[in-house]
Amino acid sequence: MDGGPRVPEQRRPSSSAEAAALRFSVLGPVRAWREEEPLNTGSPQQRALLAALLLREGRTATAAELIDALWGPEPPSQALAAVRTYASRLRKVLDPGVLVSESGGYAVRRLGEGALDLAAAQDLAAEAEKAKNGGDLCHARDVLNRALALWDGEPLAGVPGPYADAQRARLEEWRLQLLETRLDMDLEQGCHAEAVSELTALTAAHPLRERLRELLMLALYRSGRQAEALAVYADTRRLLAEELGVDPRPGLRELQQRILQADPALAEPSSPAAEPPAVPVRPAQLPATVPDFTGRSAFVTELSEVLASAEGRVMAVSALAGIGGVGKTTLAVHVAHQARSAFPDGQLYVDLQGAGSRAAEPETVLGSFLRALGTPDSAIPDSLDDRAALYRSVLDGRRVLVLLDNAKDAAQVRPLLPGTEGCAALVTSRVRMVDLAGAHLVDLDVMSPDEALQLFTKIVGAERVATEREAALDVVAACGFLPLAIRIAASRLAARRTWTVSVLAAKLADERRRLDELQAGDLAVKATFELGYGQLEPTQARAFRLLGLADGPDISLAAAAAVLDLPQEDTEDLLEALVDTSLLESAAPGRYRFHDLVRLYARACAERDEQPPSEREAALSRLLDFYLATAAAVYLIERPGDRLVDHLATPEYPGLAFDDRHAAQDWLYSEAVSLLACVRQSAHPGMLRRAVDVLWAAIDLAESGANSREYETVAVALCAAARVAEDPCAEVRALITLAYAHSLTGRFDLADEEAGRARELTDSSHDPMADCWSSNVGGAIAAYQNRHEDAEAHFTRAIEHFRALGDRPGEASALCNLSRVHLATGRAESAVTLAGQGTAMYDDMGHDLKGANGRYALGLALAQSGKLAQATECLQQALVVFRDSRQRLWEGMTAFRLAELDVTAGRPAQAASNAETALTLLRGIGGEWRRGNVLTVLGRALNGIGQLDRAQVCWREALDIFESLGAPEADEARSLLTPTQVA
């Protein structure tokens, strides 16, 4: 009656609708349902009988077999009668015909497909195996996760008898095998950082299972944690020797040697994995080549020969230089498409936006390239040098063509070059890259008259040009023989069948529609776009000019409506018309962007044509008002009753309204880059105070960690602008946001300096809200620096001032913060009281997010008071809200606090899992000080599960962090390390 998992013999849908509605579970407590209604399956022995029959998968079990299953070799005297009684009772509970008697035994029949969770798990496991063998690891992982999700605790929980005991062991072993298979596929797909937490917990629960240890070593090594990986081996070897008197198996020993030798094959999955379509392993990013590509034959031949020489060379690089609109991109894309067969491992493409004021950052581009090459987000390093190194490693052994379009200079390009044999790069730029070592330089000039006329004819049509050849030559000459200008002019003519070529030539002859100079730099680009701009209706031209004024990579429809002071419907009509003219691009539904050169041209048009000039400032002022009003709405929906919004500048232009906080969050995070760009652009008198208030209202961008670096940069710019403008009101608010941002990234000394300056300015600014916040933020910073007396004074002042303003959320925040000071100074009981008061206030006001902050503080106070169960509940409640609200920083810190609780409560395996989760969440945010604290707790957890060497590695890294920061926590880390390792 036992044996390994197998495909059941009878799993076809029943003809009975009632029978099909029955469901059974054995991968947990033995239960039964009809539809969603639970059925009473009786006593433990009765459930044991049901389980024995279900596990037979439709086959008959004799009475003797069932007696042996329930009681073993010494059954009671009335065992047979008991079996019959149990069967009779079950028959009454189940549908007719499900439990049948035959051949002196019993069987369960007529179950619908998937009616038994074990049968469903077996089917899913078979499907996963098939997908894995077919190379589709994504589907295999998904299916295995669905199979594993069917387990609901211990299989056959609470069911007595020797048969149940044997089946429990079998099913648990099978679950572990499925877990190992899924984790192995996780590592094959690069999800090593995420796997560390789960593997740490599993090795703690199953310390003698060597395959789990092997997977953990590999996951740690691929996460850049080589010392910990080797420490896992040392822990395993010691444990096996102590417990079993044996050495690790050969596979584990071999893995240790490969790690010691830094085997390059360990750095990547051993076999290619099928990735989701959104993350292709073989990128094909080249833009479409134009079907009417014309001329340039000598350049095509020259560049093709250079690319063909990539095989056997370290790298082939060609850099195309020329004025804007000369056709560098068109030529490069055409050549790249012709060379695709020589680069079978893919082609990468990026527009580096070098002609604009804000060129693409190399680290951002590398992140995009690594994702396209199949690297998961969790494995992408933070620094430029590390990303460039990983990029070159990923390309090693591949033949990939990289097209770097519109580069600013050689410094921007160098980190993006493959640097490996068989790869090649094509670079286009407006500057000649003489300082790009080893590059084959190509200077691209305008087209010859014959080539220009040929391109014009291909687009417009030979019939229309043949009858007006001279007019056509006039057109291409007026375009300066620039390919982009010719293409725009010809496309306009092709789209207007009532025009003749002469009509177009006459329009271009009017110098008011062109710049006087066509041969130098940007002037040629402006002349090209003048053709399209001159054809716009007045309302379209106004939209083109004003939209070009706004900084940021793109603009949403709602924000564009604010710039233009028009309803969204009218704005969309105008923007779509500009898209049709190729003067604007549709970045995504409801979002629009300018090409960088077109934006420059649009701004030149605004300076020249927008009358009166004050309309330009008015347009940007409306955009700032839109962001202020909408950011305030987002702030308030997260914090009902918060008085901050009452003390912000009053916008004259309205913002968006939201039905729920999820929609508000979606807007804030999708608009973050454009919002911050607008704030920075507005750092001048007349807009400065509103710009600071937008930053203040958008504080979640810093607190979540999602945009903390950009937020901090903008805050620095606003502080400097306010100081120059001698505006203490704007400066004090900017200093508060900057101090808070510094504290979130762990730069407490800088944060304290800015907070101190803010407090000095508070009196002269006459800003009561700034007074409240500067005290609250200053107290938090002092608490982080262990200046408890100062912190208590600040928080007490903040509570008094928040109360005076009637700002209950602010008061609640200061109360929760003050509880942390009481906690740090040994007043645990009053800390619980203060945090409880603050949390209750948040709950009364319906503050989900801030209520989570309150529960975070309350959980810490309860933990120190010894109320571990209550503390855990508080922190788990906070964790759910932080995760739902995308507060990655606080989600990570809550996982860290749960790990601390787990260590205290003697749950080291759970502590290790939570600490690993915290490390993953806090990667790149929160600062090194917080990372050091998490590593300290992780070391304690690992020490508790017997992974002693790995624990020492964590403590050593924490000590290095704390010593570099001059943090007092270094003493604790030093005390945890063994004397030899400290030395």
Side-chain angles (χ1 to χ4, degrees):
M1 292 183 61
D2 51 312
R6 56 188 177 276
V7 177
E9 296 176 1
Q10 296 186 14
R11 207 172 294 159
R12 300 281 67 81
S14 168
S15 59
S16 165
E18 290 184 349
L22 284 175
R23 292 186 296 111
F24 298 90
S25 170
V26 293
L27 299 178
V30 175
R31 292 171 291 184
W33 298 266
R34 181 180 293 106
E35 298 292 350
E36 300 303 319
E37 179 186 358
L39 303 179
N40 183 4
T41 53
S43 66
Q45 287 80 7
Q46 189 169 305
R47 291 197 302 274
L49 176 67
L50 176 61
L53 293 174
L54 289 170
L55 291 171
R56 295 283 288 182
E57 299 175 348
R59 297 185 302 278
T60 300
T62 66
E65 287 176 324
L66 292 172
I67 290 171
D68 185 64
L70 269 63
W71 292 285
E74 297 182 2
S77 59
Q78 299 299 317
L80 180 58
V83 166
R84 290 171 178 170
T85 300
Y86 299 152
S88 175
R89 290 174 181 172
L90 285 171
R91 190 178 289 114
K92 293 176 182 178
V93 173
L94 305 178
D95 294 325
V98 172
L99 197 158
V100 298
S101 303
E102 62 180 23
S103 304
Y106 301 93
V108 170
R109 302 276 172 78
R110 299 180 63 195
L111 296 185
E113 186 172 5
L116 179 62
D117 57 358
L118 173 59
Q122 290 168 333
D123 285 344
L124 290 169
E127 182 182 347
E129 183 66 21
K130 182 178 179 181
K132 179 185 177 184
N133 293 337
D136 190 354
L137 295 191
C138 284
H139 182 62
R141 285 175 65 207
D142 178 64
V143 173
L144 266 187
N145 277 325
R146 285 159 52 197
L148 289 165
L150 293 174
W151 265 263
D152 185 18
E154 182 184 48
L156 305 174
V159 174
Y163 178 72
D165 290 340
Q167 291 299 307
R168 252 191 302 274
R170 175 179 71 85
L171 293 173
E172 177 58 20
E173 172 62 23
W174 185 43
R175 185 184 73 87
L176 287 172
Q177 291 172 3
L178 294 180
L179 262 175
E180 288 172 348
T181 301
R182 197 262 295 157
L183 285 162
D184 186 61
M185 288 190 285
D186 287 349
L187 300 187
E188 286 297 309
Q189 293 196 296
C191 301
H192 33 267
E194 296 87 342
V196 170
S197 173
E198 187 174 1
L199 281 165
T200 297
L202 285 169
T203 53
H206 307 279
L208 299 178
R209 201 170 182 93
E210 291 184 66
R211 178 55 179 158
L212 290 174
R213 298 272 183 152
E214 184 178 345
L215 291 170
L216 177 57
M217 288 176 64
L218 185 57
L220 286 166
Y221 180 74
R222 289 183 179 171
S223 299
R225 299 159 71 175
Q226 178 179 352
E228 282 187 69
L230 293 171
V232 170
Y233 178 82
D235 288 330
T236 305
R237 183 178 59 183
R238 183 180 58 255
L239 179 67
L240 291 174
E242 292 173 354
E243 296 290 331
L244 304 176
V246 298
D247 291 327
R249 61 186 179 84
L252 207 60
R253 296 198 299 272
E254 179 186 352
L255 178 58
Q256 182 220 20
Q257 291 301 312
R258 294 177 69 189
I259 291 174
L260 288 170
Q261 296 163 7
D263 185 350
L266 286 181
E268 298 180 26
S270 59
S271 60
E275 292 287 341
V279 191
V281 172
R282 181 186 178 280
Q285 297 183 342
L286 295 178
T289 187
V290 294
D292 48 25
F293 182 85
T294 302
R296 310 294 202 185
S297 56
F299 289 112
V300 171
T301 301
E302 178 182 354
L303 291 170
S304 298
E305 288 175 353
V306 172
L307 294 183
S309 70
E311 186 171 5
R313 290 181 51 183
V314 171
M315 176 178 54
V317 181
S318 288
L320 286 72
I323 61 174
V326 79
K328 301 181 294 295
T329 299
T330 302
L331 173 60
V333 170
H334 180 78
V335 171
H337 273 283
Q338 284 198 335
R340 285 184 63 174
S341 60
F343 300 93
D345 296 314
Q347 305 84 40
L348 295 168
Y349 171 85
V350 65
D351 180 0
L352 294 174
Q353 305 176 38
S357 59
R358 300 199 177 185
E361 296 291 340
E363 55 261 43
T364 303
V365 176
L366 285 169
S368 177
F369 278 179
L370 286 167
R371 292 184 192 95
L373 290 164
T375 308
D377 283 349
S378 59
I380 297 176
D382 294 325
S383 72
L384 172 61
D385 290 342
D386 288 344
R387 288 188 176 191
L390 178 59
Y391 170 65
R392 293 190 294 270
S393 297
V394 170
L395 288 179
D396 185 42
R398 302 189 190 189
R399 302 207 62 197
V400 174
L401 174 62
V402 183
L403 176 47
L404 305 173
D405 193 19
N406 197 12
K408 178 182 179 181
D409 52 30
Q412 185 190 29
V413 166
R414 288 189 191 101
L416 309 178
L417 296 178
T420 185
E421 181 179 341
C423 290
L426 273 173
V427 184
T428 73
S429 176
R430 291 179 1 179
V431 300
R432 197 166 190 264
M433 294 192 177
V434 294
D435 53 344
L436 190 61
H440 175 79
L441 302 181
V442 175
D443 293 324
L444 194 60
D445 202 351
V446 297
M447 282 183 156
S448 68
D450 288 343
E451 288 178 333
L453 183 60
Q454 185 181 1
L455 173 60
F456 184 82
T457 303
K458 281 188 176 182
I459 297 172
V460 173
E463 183 178 348
R464 296 178 75 180
V465 173
T467 57
E468 296 183 279
R469 181 179 173 81
E470 290 302 318
L473 287 172
D474 291 341
V475 168
V476 296
C479 291
F481 307 110
L482 287 169
L484 184 57
I486 296 166
R487 186 173 298 280
I488 291 174
S491 298
R492 294 290 175 200
L493 183 60
R496 291 165 172 78
R497 304 304 300 177
T498 58
W499 283 15
T500 63
V501 180
S502 298
V503 168
L504 177 61
K507 290 180 178 293
L508 293 178
D510 185 355
E511 292 186 355
R512 294 172 302 175
R513 312 185 96 171
R514 292 185 291 122
L515 299 178
D516 293 333
E517 299 291 336
L518 297 177
Q519 291 83 11
D522 289 337
L523 295 177
V525 175
K526 292 179 180 179
T528 300
F529 291 119
E530 189 75 52
L531 289 169
Y533 179 71
Q535 301 300 321
L536 299 178
E537 300 293 334
T539 53
Q540 296 171 347
R542 173 180 177 270
F544 176 72
R545 293 192 299 268
L546 295 184
L547 290 175
L549 297 172
D551 283 348
D554 59 8
I555 192 167
S556 67
L557 178 59
V563 171
L564 302 180
D565 196 18
L566 291 172
Q568 286 196 31
E569 294 80 3
D570 297 341
T571 301
E572 185 173 21
D573 290 341
L574 287 173
L575 268 57
E576 288 298 326
L578 292 175
V579 170
D580 290 340
T581 66
S582 299
L583 293 175
L584 194 66
E585 298 176 17
S586 179
R591 300 198 74 87
Y592 300 86
R593 68 183 175 211
F594 283 102
H595 183 280
D596 48 10
L597 298 180
V598 181
R599 186 196 298 276
L600 293 176
Y601 173 72
R603 290 181 174 179
C605 290
E607 293 174 3
R608 182 189 65 191
D609 300 338
E610 198 59 47
Q611 299 298 331
S614 59
E615 176 57 18
R616 299 197 296 271
E617 185 171 345
L620 292 176
S621 180
R622 288 191 297 271
L623 179 61
L624 184 63
D625 276 351
F626 166 77
Y627 281 132
L628 175 57
T630 310
V634 174
Y635 184 93
L636 194 57
I637 203 171
E638 288 279 17
R639 304 164 177 83
D642 197 306
R643 294 294 307 281
L644 173 67
V645 295
D646 299 333
H647 293 264
L648 300 177
T650 304
E652 296 182 5
Y653 193 89
L656 300 175
F658 303 99
D659 295 330
D660 60 77
R661 66 187 186 92
H662 293 293
Q665 290 167 359
D666 288 342
W667 179 87
L668 182 64
Y669 293 113
S670 65
E671 203 71 19
V673 178
S674 296
L675 179 149
L676 292 173
C678 176
V679 169
R680 183 166 188 165
Q681 186 179 18
S682 305
H684 56 78
M687 294 188 187
L688 181 57
R689 291 194 182 186
R690 283 179 291 153
V692 172
D693 283 356
V694 173
L695 199 64
W696 204 350
I699 193 75
D700 280 349
L701 295 179
E703 191 160 359
S704 69
N707 301 88
S708 54
R709 184 177 300 177
E710 299 92 334
Y711 186 97
E712 204 170 38
T713 301
V714 174
V716 169
L718 291 182
C719 286
R723 199 170 301 120
V724 171
E726 298 181 349
D727 186 339
C729 185
E731 186 177 0
V732 69
R733 293 189 172 199
L735 285 167
I736 290 169
T737 61
L738 180 57
Y740 190 54
H742 280 327
S743 73
L744 291 171
T745 54
R747 293 195 282 271
F748 302 122
D749 290 340
L750 282 175
D752 190 48
E753 289 179 18
E754 308 298 355
R757 292 174 58 198
R759 289 193 298 275
E760 291 172 3
L761 288 172
T762 299
D763 292 338
S764 60
S765 69
H766 304 291
D767 186 343
M769 186 56 69
D771 194 2
C772 295
W773 274 67
S774 63
S775 298
N776 205 19
V777 172
I781 296 165
Y784 280 125
Q785 295 179 314
N786 297 315
R787 295 186 289 111
H788 304 308
E789 187 175 341
D790 290 343
E792 186 160 357
H794 288 317
F795 289 140
T796 302
R797 175 184 172 90
I799 292 169
E800 293 172 355
H801 285 250
F802 277 127
R803 283 175 179 166
L805 287 178
D807 190 329
R808 296 185 70 231
E811 180 185 351
S813 171
L815 284 169
C816 292
N817 288 337
L818 182 58
S819 77
R820 301 281 296 276
V821 178
H822 281 229
L823 201 61
T825 52
R827 293 171 283 173
E829 185 175 344
S830 58
V832 171
T833 301
L834 289 168
Q837 290 173 353
T839 304
M841 292 173 68
Y842 282 137
D843 290 345
D844 288 344
M845 293 178 286
H847 277 227
D848 289 339
L849 177 56
K850 299 308 292 182
N853 288 119
R855 283 173 174 78
Y856 178 89
L858 181 56
L860 299 186
L862 288 167
Q864 192 156 318
S865 300
K867 301 174 182 177
L868 302 187
Q870 292 174 261
T872 300
E873 183 180 1
C874 278
L875 290 174
Q876 287 175 340
Q877 290 172 351
L879 185 67
V880 171
V881 176
F882 289 141
R883 184 179 297 125
D884 185 56
S885 301
R886 308 181 201 180
Q887 293 288 313
R888 185 174 149 213
L889 172 63
W890 287 110
E891 184 185 352
M893 288 304 298
T894 307
F896 159 63
R897 297 301 186 182
L898 284 167
E900 285 186 319
L901 268 178
D902 291 328
V903 169
T904 304
R907 298 187 295 264
Q910 184 61 42
S913 178
N914 279 324
E916 286 287 0
T917 298
L919 280 179
T920 301
L921 289 167
L922 294 175
R923 182 173 183 175
I925 63 173
E928 285 296 285
W929 177 77
R930 291 183 174 90
R931 175 176 168 79
N933 283 317
V934 178
L935 284 167
T936 301
V937 171
L938 176 58
R940 289 184 180 276
L942 294 171
N943 191 65
I945 59 177
Q947 298 187 14
L948 310 183
D949 292 272
R950 187 178 164 200
Q952 294 284 324
V953 171
C954 291
W955 290 330
R956 165 57 67 186
E957 186 176 351
L959 177 61
D960 291 343
I961 290 172
F962 293 139
E963 287 183 337
S964 68
L965 297 175
E969 289 82 1
D971 292 338
E972 179 188 2
R974 194 176 294 109
S975 70
L976 292 168
L977 286 163
T978 62
T980 55
Q981 286 172 316
V982 173

